Structure formats: structure tokens, C-alpha cells
Amino acid sequence: MISESSSFVKGMMLGGLFCVFVTFIGHNKMGHGTKAHHHEHHHIQAPNKEDVSNLSEGERMELSHSIRVYCIILVKPKDLGNWAAVKETWSKHCDKAEFYSSESVKVFDSIVLNTNEMWVMMRKAYKLAYERYQDEYNWFFLAHPTTFAVIENLKYFLLKKDASQPFYIGHTVKSGELEYVDGDGGIVLSIESLKRLSKIFEDPDRCPEQGGLIWKLSEDKQLAVCLKYTGVLAENAEDSEGKDVFNTKSVGSLIKEAMANHPQQVVEGSCSDMAITFNGLAPNHMHVMMYGVYRLRAYGHNFKDALVFLPPAGSDND
């Protein structure tokens, strides 16, 4: 009994020290010190329409072809319904999309990671993506199978962002002093951030694969801790009016909230016109979203977008 009590107290002390450590890292800037291009801001916005319309035709074409997005979707066998829906809907609009699964599933092709731990899955997926595609893609978008993404809006958001700088973008949340991107809304890394992340993965002291303490951090918080060591900070993505574009809830949930909080402005108050992601969607809702985003048109309405993002060669997207 004395031995068991001693072990318990020791475990509680270790857990407490770990929580203190996580809080401490939020107060301290880690990694690359005061190098050029270090991001001090925590909110970044999409370009406004005037910025794009003022570009020449040649500049527009060059920009539209320069943004290449590789999509990573983390899946498990229990996600088969959503897996199928993502495969048939929005993932076709990525320049390349691959599913990284915890184990082999006969009905779908995937990159098998042989682990059920979400943080280990995320680490392995990012590591493989960097090793295989560092010279082919400059932006890496990670999503869960319950997420719906409008990739064209993501590319528009990234239009004037330099992928050679360390970007870590999405819907940011604060946990104590740690600011991180909520994985439910999707996570975007520039190739520079992925390069730094791949290096810090090799340092088990600062970015361990397995935590042996009582309180484990979620995978999206673990990612923020590792990136912070490299000088990369989480940044909240907003449209030109300051509205969030990465959403951790479904359209239905956001509309319900708007009806309760802004009954006179339900549409305007629910979410951005240039929203990139929504989360918490069932498979049938994925197809409804696909119809609404890519098929349904109101006759007589012409948005006159100044830029068109062409689908990847050989893709069968909508």
C-alpha cells in the first residue's frame, strides 16, 4: 500500500510539473531567435478583391499556378463513411490528396501508419509528406474525415503568402499560455514550417513521439509545442472583414448560433463568404455541401471573380 501511494504521489508530481512546463513554454519564445521573417502577428487575412483585380492577367495566372496544395487526411477504420464521402467530394480539388490510416483497410487505398495514437499518426504523416513531396508542393493541409474544405478558397487565402516563410495557419485557440491551431478546422503549414517540423521531430527531448506522463496533450497542442521550438507560431486565419475562415463547426451549427445571437443578420452573422472549412459533417452532409458549393447557381448572379484556380491535370473534380 505504501509503495502504491508513493507511486501515485510521484505520478501526480510529474503530471503537475508537465503542466507547469507547458505553461512556461507559452511565455518563452523558442527556436530561431530574432531572424528575419519571424512572424510576430497572430491574425492574418485573405487579400481583398481590389488587390486581386489590380493584378495583370499574367500575374494572376502565375499566382494561380504557383499555389500547390497537398492534402493529408487522417483516418481510422471507424471513419469509413466519412472517408468515402471525403474521397468522393472535396479532396478531388486538392492538387494531390492522400489518406493516412491507422491500419490497413481493404476497401480503400491508404498510406498505413500502423498506430492508433493520433499524435503519432500526425507525426508520421507529416514526416512522410515532407520526405516525398518537399519539391512538389508548397502548402500542406491536414484535415480530419469530418471536415469539409473549399480548396479554391484556401488557395485564394494563400494568394499573397510566401511559402518560404514559416506559416502555421487555421482556427487558433488558447490553452493557458499556449496558442495552437484547432485540428477540427484543419491545419495549414507552409513548406518552410514543415521543413522545420521535420527537423524538430529528430529531437526527442523537445518533440517526443510518446508522452509517458499522466496528462497527455492532444495532437494539435503537441504540434504547436514542437513548432514553437522552431520559432513557428499559430496564426488565426480571417477574411478581409476579420471573420474566421477555418470553422470547427458545421454550417448548421453556425446558423443556429447566428439565429440566437443575430436574428436580424442570420446569413451575414453566421460565417464568412470566403470560408475554407467546416467540421462535424456526416457523409450525406458532405454531398449536400458539395452540391451547394460547386453546383447550385442563382441565375443572374455573377460574382466576376478575377482569378480562377484550375483543377489538377487528370482530376475528376466537379
Side-chain angles (χ1 to χ4, degrees):
M1 284 294 290
I2 294 174
S3 176
E4 289 178 5
S5 299
S6 175
S7 298
F8 175 76
V9 171
K10 190 179 294 183
M12 290 292 287
M13 289 176 67
L14 284 171
L17 286 170
F18 183 63
C19 289
V20 170
F21 167 73
V22 172
T23 301
F24 173 77
I25 63 174
H27 285 288
N28 291 273
K29 189 181 293 182
M30 299 180 239
H32 291 218
T34 55
K35 284 191 175 183
H37 306 308
H38 181 76
H39 292 282
E40 296 296 340
H41 53 283
H42 298 284
H43 296 261
I44 62 175
Q45 292 191 332
N48 59 50
K49 293 179 181 179
E50 288 72 25
D51 288 342
V52 179
S53 61
N54 289 334
L55 296 172
S56 69
E57 186 64 30
E59 288 173 322
R60 292 176 195 172
M61 288 299 293
E62 184 179 349
L63 280 171
S64 67
H65 288 296
S66 69
I67 301 169
R68 292 184 53 75
V69 177
Y70 175 75
C71 296
I72 298 167
I73 302 100
L74 300 179
V75 291
K76 295 182 179 182
K78 66 181 179 63
D79 302 318
L80 278 179
N82 278 84
W83 186 344
V86 171
K87 186 178 176 64
E88 288 301 313
T89 57
W90 66 263
S91 67
K92 294 179 181 181
H93 291 244
C94 304
D95 290 292
K96 184 178 182 66
E98 290 187 306
F99 293 81
Y100 290 75
S101 60
S102 58
E103 59 188 85
S104 179
V105 176
K106 291 183 179 180
V107 291
F108 293 123
D109 291 332
S110 66
I111 297 169
V112 181
L113 301 174
N114 293 313
T115 178
N116 205 45
E117 291 284 333
M118 286 302 296
W119 169 232
V120 182
M121 286 181 66
M122 183 183 281
R123 283 177 61 106
K124 287 187 173 183
Y126 274 137
K127 192 171 187 297
L128 286 170
Y130 181 72
E131 289 172 352
R132 296 177 179 182
Y133 303 118
Q134 58 182 292
D135 297 323
E136 293 184 52
Y137 304 96
N138 48 7
W139 295 98
F140 295 79
F141 173 62
L142 183 142
H144 296 312
T146 52
T147 301
F148 184 93
V150 185
I151 298 300
E152 290 80 1
N153 286 0
L154 172 58
K155 289 187 173 185
Y156 175 77
F157 180 86
L158 298 172
L159 199 58
K160 291 196 169 184
K161 312 292 186 295
D162 184 356
S164 67
Q165 293 192 32
F167 284 101
Y168 164 40
I169 304 168
H171 178 89
T172 58
V173 179
K174 288 203 79 172
S175 176
E177 293 299 322
L178 178 68
E179 192 164 14
Y180 66 97
V181 172
D182 191 329
D184 285 345
I187 301 170
V188 177
L189 295 181
S190 62
I191 183 61
E192 173 60 24
S193 290
L194 189 58
K195 177 183 177 181
R196 295 187 187 187
L197 184 63
S198 297
K199 288 181 180 178
I200 200 71
F201 280 160
E202 305 304 319
D203 187 338
D205 292 326
R206 294 191 293 176
C207 188
E209 180 173 304
Q210 296 281 7
L213 299 171
I214 293 176
W215 288 283
K216 288 187 179 181
L217 292 177
S218 62
E219 67 277 5
D220 39 18
K221 291 180 184 177
Q222 292 265 26
L223 177 65
V225 170
C226 294
L227 284 171
K228 198 163 188 177
Y229 269 119
T230 73
V232 182
L233 302 177
E235 297 178 291
N236 193 65
E238 302 166 353
D239 65 15
S240 56
E241 297 178 356
K243 292 181 180 178
D244 287 346
V245 291
F246 286 83
N247 296 290
T248 58
K249 300 177 182 179
S250 67
V251 176
S253 296
L254 292 169
I255 289 176
K256 283 181 181 178
E257 289 179 7
M259 290 175 70
N261 301 322
H262 311 284
Q264 304 305 317
Q265 294 181 308
V266 173
V267 176
E268 296 87 346
S270 59
C271 50
S272 169
D273 293 348
M274 296 300 294
I276 295 169
T277 62
F278 298 96
N279 187 56
L281 279 74
N284 60 315
H285 295 151
M286 293 269 184
H287 290 281
V288 171
M289 286 292 293
M290 202 67 183
Y291 172 73
V293 172
Y294 292 103
R295 295 293 187 182
L296 184 62
R297 296 287 183 269
Y299 181 77
H301 285 258
N302 185 350
F303 293 101
K304 298 180 180 177
D305 292 329
L307 193 63
V308 175
F309 294 104
L310 299 174
S315 77
D316 58 348
N317 69 12
D318 295 71

